[in-house]
Amino acid sequence: MRLQLVIVLVLVARASHAQVSDAEPGKGDAKGSLAIYSDSDKTTVVTSVAEGSVRLKQPVIVNAHALVDAVTSASVDVISAATPRFSENRVELGTNAQIGFSHSTEGSIGYTHSGENDWQSHAIELGFSRDLAKKNAKLTISYGFTRNYVGRAHDPSFEEILDVQGAQIGLSQIIDKKTLASLAYTLSSASGYQGSPYRFVTTMDGIAEPESPPEHRLRHAITGRVMHMFGTANVVDVQYRLYFDDWGIASHTGELAYTRDLTKTWSLRLRVRGYRQHHASFYQETYEMPMRYMTVDRELSTFWDAMGGIKLAYLGDSWDLDAKLDTIVYRFSDYARLQSRVAIVGGLGVAWRW
């Protein structure tokens, strides 16, 4: 998209959408996108999304979206669960409303339902934002709650519940005419069944037990971001995220993006991202004997990944187009069944604004 400073400020300080008070009644947009994920672990995911928004006569913007994930996998996890291959679809439907209380204060409320053959979830979100310092700063506060019903395919007697709730507080600040900084803290709590009904842990004495992670998890994340414009056609975006939880996991994520205007309507973005994670305190590559907490989930092991990607975007008077391609390399330090993985993610998007 164009890199004029006003657009940059809208993307971050306005939480990626126009303020309700700034939109005219009847204005809106419709968007569609298609993304394909494929990796060397024999997993393919095709994601299609349709979404739209419209400003009502009242100071309210209504948004709605529909998402479908088509997943096919014969990964190490699947094969180790004695399943040669599986295919399934996940459907997500959601809506939210942004409500303008004044020219400087907004609220939001939303609901999302997601379902597949062995998982159903219901999520609600509440948000509040307020402009400060003559609109040079923005404070945002949000809260969300999700109830998940975990099942097992072809086993109607198996049903577990996982409740997840979280809150975030963030502040965006205009430093000068070409620099914007933001800082956010996120607190999340999960309670209930947090394992996989298909994943079993085989100890060295040959006993196979269902994996059994703790039923409670408290997560913390601190995210900082700085965007700076060089000249009139170049923007550098730097982000860093520190994460830690009471399972013993600590991770660091850094991302650097560079976007340049090629013409008045075309832009090119290049980005790189790195992630490093320390394993959960109860994770072991092999267990000598059954323990209270056990898992062979590679997402709880020690690993790192690196991503690089390119995106080409067109911003017209009423139509927007974009195409992107990312490559991700994973390395697992203490997961013998899969020491590395390479993934390719490609996507196309189109938007119509009126």
Side-chain angles (χ1 to χ4, degrees), residues 274-294:
Y275 177 85
R276 173 71 181 181
Q277 173 181 297
H278 180 269
H279 63 78
S281 58
F282 55 89
Y283 174 86
Q284 297 181 30
E285 192 170 354
T286 57
Y287 292 85
E288 293 186 0
M289 62 184 67
M291 301 178 65
R292 180 182 181 184
Y293 299 131
M294 300 189 300

Side-chain angles (χ1 to χ4, degrees), residues 96-107:
N96 80 338
Q98 302 162 229
I99 306 166
F101 300 118
S102 69
H103 285 283
S104 60
T105 306
E106 291 183 10

Side-chain angles (χ1 to χ4, degrees), residues 133-188:
K134 298 181 180 180
K135 293 195 173 184
N136 288 315
K138 189 180 186 73
L139 175 68
T140 59
I141 301 173
S142 61
Y143 168 80
F145 174 82
T146 303
R147 164 147 295 190
N148 302 279
Y149 296 93
V150 185
R152 182 161 53 201
H154 312 299
D155 184 1
S157 65
F158 183 94
E159 182 175 276
E160 299 286 348
I161 292 178
L162 172 62
D163 290 335
V164 180
Q165 57 181 327
Q168 177 175 286
I169 182 169
L171 179 66
S172 300
Q173 173 69 54
I174 297 175
I175 306 301
D176 55 40
K177 292 182 180 180
K178 294 188 176 183
T179 308
L180 179 67
S182 64
L183 183 66
Y185 168 69
T186 305
L187 175 66
S188 175

Side-chain angles (χ1 to χ4, degrees), residues 168 182-188 217 219-225 238-245 249-255 273-277:
Q168 177 175 286
S182 64
L183 183 66
Y185 168 69
T186 305
L187 175 66
S188 175
R217 189 177 188 182
R219 303 178 175 184
H220 308 265
I222 302 172
T223 305
R225 184 177 186 181
V238 181
Q239 300 183 55
Y240 170 75
R241 179 176 182 264
L242 170 64
Y243 167 91
F244 56 96
D245 62 30
I249 291 179
S251 70
H252 305 269
T253 307
E255 182 170 339
R273 187 192 68 210
Y275 177 85
R276 173 71 181 181
Q277 173 181 297

Side-chain angles (χ1 to χ4, degrees), residues 132-350:
L132 306 171
K134 298 181 180 180
K135 293 195 173 184
N136 288 315
K138 189 180 186 73
L139 175 68
T140 59
I141 301 173
S142 61
Y143 168 80
F145 174 82
T146 303
R147 164 147 295 190
N148 302 279
Y149 296 93
V150 185
R152 182 161 53 201
H154 312 299
D155 184 1
S157 65
F158 183 94
E159 182 175 276
E160 299 286 348
I161 292 178
L162 172 62
D163 290 335
V164 180
Q165 57 181 327
Q168 177 175 286
I169 182 169
L171 179 66
S172 300
Q173 173 69 54
I174 297 175
I175 306 301
D176 55 40
K177 292 182 180 180
K178 294 188 176 183
T179 308
L180 179 67
S182 64
L183 183 66
Y185 168 69
T186 305
L187 175 66
S188 175
S189 174
S191 179
Y193 183 77
Q194 302 189 55
S196 168
Y198 309 104
R199 191 179 292 127
F200 288 80
V201 179
T202 302
T203 57
M204 294 184 68
D205 55 10
I207 299 176
E209 299 277 351
E211 77 165 353
S212 55
E215 292 189 351
H216 301 280
R217 189 177 188 182
L218 191 64
R219 303 178 175 184
H220 308 265
I222 302 172
T223 305
R225 184 177 186 181
V226 177
M227 300 179 71
H228 182 76
M229 175 177 285
F230 293 90
T232 60
N234 304 275
V235 167
V236 172
D237 183 356
V238 181
Q239 300 183 55
Y240 170 75
R241 179 176 182 264
L242 170 64
Y243 167 91
F244 56 96
D245 62 30
D246 59 358
W247 283 11
I249 291 179
S251 70
H252 305 269
T253 307
E255 182 170 339
L256 174 64
Y258 167 71
T259 309
R260 177 175 176 80
D261 272 343
L262 302 177
T263 67
K264 292 183 178 180
T265 55
W266 289 93
S267 68
L268 180 69
R269 185 194 71 187
L270 304 174
R271 66 169 179 165
V272 293
R273 187 192 68 210
Y275 177 85
R276 173 71 181 181
Q277 173 181 297
H278 180 269
H279 63 78
S281 58
F282 55 89
Y283 174 86
Q284 297 181 30
E285 192 170 354
T286 57
Y287 292 85
E288 293 186 0
M289 62 184 67
M291 301 178 65
R292 180 182 181 184
Y293 299 131
M294 300 189 300
T295 183
V296 288
D297 184 358
R298 65 183 176 221
E299 300 301 326
L300 299 179
S301 68
T302 298
F303 73 92
W304 62 263
D305 67 63
M307 182 272 289
I310 184 171
K311 178 180 178 180
L312 182 65
Y314 168 82
L315 180 65
D317 295 330
S318 58
W319 286 94
D320 302 335
L321 302 170
D322 67 76
K324 61 181 180 179
L325 182 67
D326 296 323
T327 301
I328 312 172
V329 178
Y330 301 83
R331 290 290 185 271
F332 299 92
S333 302
D334 48 12
Y335 188 77
R337 286 181 288 179
L338 183 69
Q339 296 182 348
S340 65
R341 178 176 65 184
V342 178
I344 303 294
V345 185
L348 297 171
V350 59

